[in-house]
Amino acid sequence: MAQLGKLLKEQKYDRQLRLWGDHGQEALESAHVCLINATATGTEILKNLVLPGIGSFTIIDGNQVSGEDAGNNYREKAKKDAAAVGNHVAKLLQSIGQAPESISEKELKLLCSNSAFLRVVRCRSLAEEYGLDTINKDEIISSMDNPDNEIVLYLMLRAVDRFHKQQGRYPGVSNYQVEEDIGKLKSCLTGFLQEYGLSVMVKDDYVHEFCRYGAAEPHTIAAFLGGAAAQEVIKIITKQFVIFNNTYIYSGMSQTSATFQL
């Protein structure tokens, strides 16, 4: 039994045992703390001593307990908030002909505990991004106030797509094609900007660079983008954390990234 108790203790306090060792934990468990005045701050101090296993404590507070003091107990406040939300949800469900119990208490508690972190993300479709009249031109033009903004890579990628459609290959995939593809890619870029009515200037350096690297995928860039993309998939599947909205661009040259709503 003693061995079982020790094992359970090690599992319960594993992280802090790594921090201050067995002797530190024993000192904590044999300590007696006196809290003077059970204010909101005081109760939080006591909570953070109880959790790691403080041995015992005494509270000294000469004030009478009132309804306001109950607000210092965040669990009670959380229960009241969940009940209020539950009543409101029940009325909404009844108004649309659904049973109040169609949303479980567990789901309501999950909503309340994460409500401060909820975000409404309204994404734009690829059809809107590629539409001549629906693409977000203002986002592109305002971002191009800085000619080296990450949005320039998006413009170049769109030009590369056009190049691939015309030539059946990516620019600069072979060394002997690099020089001749510079003019072709620049023509594709100009055509794209004119077709979408984007009055912006892209430095020739970017055209040269896109032809020089020849659609290569350096492993460091692939590893970073693979991690970022997998992270977004996990966000969607678990329905947790805020997703990118909607076009994410990473620059391996400057090691910076940005998200644009296009």
Side-chain angles (χ1 to χ4, degrees), residues 124-144:
R124 287 166 56 80
S125 66
L126 283 173
E128 289 175 307
E129 180 181 334
Y130 277 70
L132 293 175
D133 299 320
T134 53
I135 189 172
N136 192 348
K137 298 178 185 178
D138 292 339
E139 177 89 334
I140 295 173
I141 294 172
S142 62
S143 298
M144 282 298 289

Side-chain angles (χ1 to χ4, degrees), residues 71-91:
N72 292 335
N73 188 330
Y74 71 93
R75 291 185 180 275
E76 291 301 319
K77 182 68 166 61
K79 288 180 181 178
K80 290 181 180 179
D81 289 346
V85 172
N87 291 334
H88 185 64
V89 169
K91 292 177 182 178

Side-chain angles (χ1 to χ4, degrees), residues 34-45:
C34 177
L35 173 67
I36 300 176
N37 294 329
T39 62
T41 303
T43 54
E44 284 298 313
I45 293 171

Side-chain angles (χ1 to χ4, degrees), residues 188-205:
C188 289
L189 175 63
T190 301
F192 166 73
L193 295 176
Q194 289 177 347
E195 182 178 347
Y196 281 82
L198 297 168
S199 54
V200 296
M201 294 292 294
V202 175
K203 294 178 181 179
D204 286 345
D205 290 347

